Amino acid sequence: MSLLTASRNLVDNLSHHVQKTLYRKNLIKLAPLYNHAKWGDTHRFAQHYQKHFAPLSRKKLNILEIGVGGYDDSTSGGDSLRMWKTYFPNSNIYGIDIVEKQGLEEERIKIFKGSQTDEAFLKEVINETGELDIIIDDGCSINEHRIKTFNILFPFLKDGGIYAEENTHISYWPSLGSNWSEKGEKSVYLANCINVGGSIDLNASHTIMAMYKRLADGLNYQEFLNPGYSPSYFDKHIVEVHFYHNLVIVYKGENNEGSNIIENNTLQPHILQELGVNSLEELAIDFTTATSASNKV
């Protein structure tokens, strides 16, 4: 390497470090410094994360990101983890990946190897990290796996915690079928693309977007006119759902505001009185199509 090249590299590295320091509170400018391919003009998550994470950036948090990056290469990835480490200077940053990535660990960054659908593994992670303040799922591109991960991990969020689901476009991609299975054995990336398990049917019930649409309904579970309805864990512990292009952000809390019309999923007596009836049955509403609750979504 020539002296001129070495000097240029030194200047570039110094400039890069200065920019990271200057922009450490602004994810919109900070993110592309770590991985422009992911966080540049075509990946617009940073502006939304800035809005939701800025009030938390100086707090001491436990943050978990699923998917370290770099696919099958054990020496590649970790850009987002390092970005979160800069943006959250007082927090512990944890990563999960199906590929061994522990060589990318550094101070305040710890990486666990395992599957995001392995409940026993995920509970071992939580035993080490403690309850989490932020969970970001940028992992497997298979809808079924993402849904299972949410069901397992969301209960381990603290009240006030945030769950972020990236790359919701996978809801709209169907699997390519058995003819592609041999190609899918070649890499994690190809397997994810081939077995994504979405649907071109926007009303399909098995996709991650369908799950989050149901969770949005659950915000209003106390308004459901459905006698005998049993609210799910998610009904009772989700207080906000934010939808963006390719991103959903969910806040955990106590969803117990109540209703001024409905009580125990039936009309309150004074409403029945206003309607001039003594019971809900007199309204002749067909409840056979009402959705039943489940603790899993």
Side-chain angles (χ1 to χ4, degrees), residues 35-296:
N35 186 338
H36 194 273
K38 174 176 178 178
W39 296 97
D41 295 338
T42 60
H43 199 87
R44 304 178 182 91
F45 299 165
Q47 60 181 316
H48 306 307
Y49 283 145
Q50 176 67 20
K51 178 169 67 175
H52 291 279
F53 292 168
L56 307 173
S57 64
R58 308 299 294 184
K59 295 182 179 293
K60 186 176 182 179
L61 309 175
N62 290 329
I63 300 169
L64 173 67
E65 182 165 38
I66 302 166
V68 174
Y71 298 106
D72 300 59
D73 185 351
S74 62
T75 65
S76 178
D79 295 317
S80 292
L81 299 179
R82 291 186 286 272
M83 177 190 70
W84 297 129
K85 176 183 172 179
T86 300
Y87 188 71
F88 294 100
N90 302 309
S91 296
N92 297 313
I93 313 299
Y94 301 99
I96 287 176
D97 204 282
I98 194 69
V99 175
E100 176 62 65
K101 300 282 184 176
Q102 288 176 306
L104 302 174
E105 290 182 342
E106 54 187 64
E107 184 184 2
R108 291 197 295 113
I109 294 178
K110 182 173 179 59
I111 301 172
F112 302 90
K113 179 183 182 296
S115 170
Q116 69 178 91
T117 63
D118 184 339
E119 185 170 1
F121 162 70
L122 293 177
K123 288 183 176 179
E124 287 177 5
V125 170
I126 298 300
N127 284 339
E128 186 160 343
T129 66
E131 281 190 313
L132 299 164
D133 298 278
I134 296 174
I135 300 173
I136 301 164
D137 193 345
D138 184 26
C140 177
S141 295
I142 299 173
N143 279 263
E144 181 182 0
H145 291 187
R146 292 286 194 97
I147 292 169
K148 185 173 183 179
T149 302
F150 180 86
N151 277 290
I152 296 170
L153 286 182
F154 186 82
F156 292 105
L157 266 181
K158 296 178 184 177
D159 275 356
I162 298 173
Y163 195 105
E165 189 84 61
E166 295 187 359
N167 299 328
T168 54
H169 66 272
I170 63 174
S171 290
Y172 313 110
W173 292 9
S175 294
L176 298 181
S178 58
N179 292 337
W180 297 82
S181 59
E182 185 177 340
K183 289 187 176 182
E185 294 173 359
K186 295 181 179 179
S187 75
V188 172
Y189 174 76
L190 285 176
N192 282 345
C193 290
I194 292 167
N195 300 313
V196 65
S199 177
I200 60 174
D201 177 5
L202 299 185
N203 295 314
S205 62
H206 65 279
T207 68
I208 54 173
M209 278 303 294
M211 177 185 77
Y212 285 110
K213 291 172 187 176
R214 292 193 294 271
L215 293 176
D217 279 327
L219 293 171
N220 300 303
Y221 80 92
Q222 293 182 82
E223 308 292 350
F224 295 171
L225 187 56
N226 184 2
Y229 180 81
S230 178
S232 72
Y233 176 88
F234 302 105
D235 288 339
K236 294 187 288 185
H237 292 94
I238 290 177
V239 293
E240 297 179 37
V241 183
H242 300 259
F243 291 91
Y244 303 100
H245 176 208
N246 237 355
L247 176 68
V248 179
I249 292 179
V250 179
Y251 281 76
K252 187 175 182 182
E254 295 295 326
N255 183 15
N256 55 10
E257 290 182 353
S259 169
N260 60 357
I261 295 176
I262 306 293
E263 185 175 351
N264 296 324
N265 299 108
T266 191
L267 290 174
Q268 293 183 9
H270 74 277
I271 300 297
L272 292 173
Q273 186 177 1
E274 288 289 331
L275 292 171
V277 297
N278 296 313
S279 69
L280 195 62
E281 287 75 15
E282 293 180 49
L283 297 178
I285 297 173
D286 181 8
F287 291 103
T288 59
T289 60
T291 303
S292 60
S294 170
N295 278 323
K296 292 188 176 181

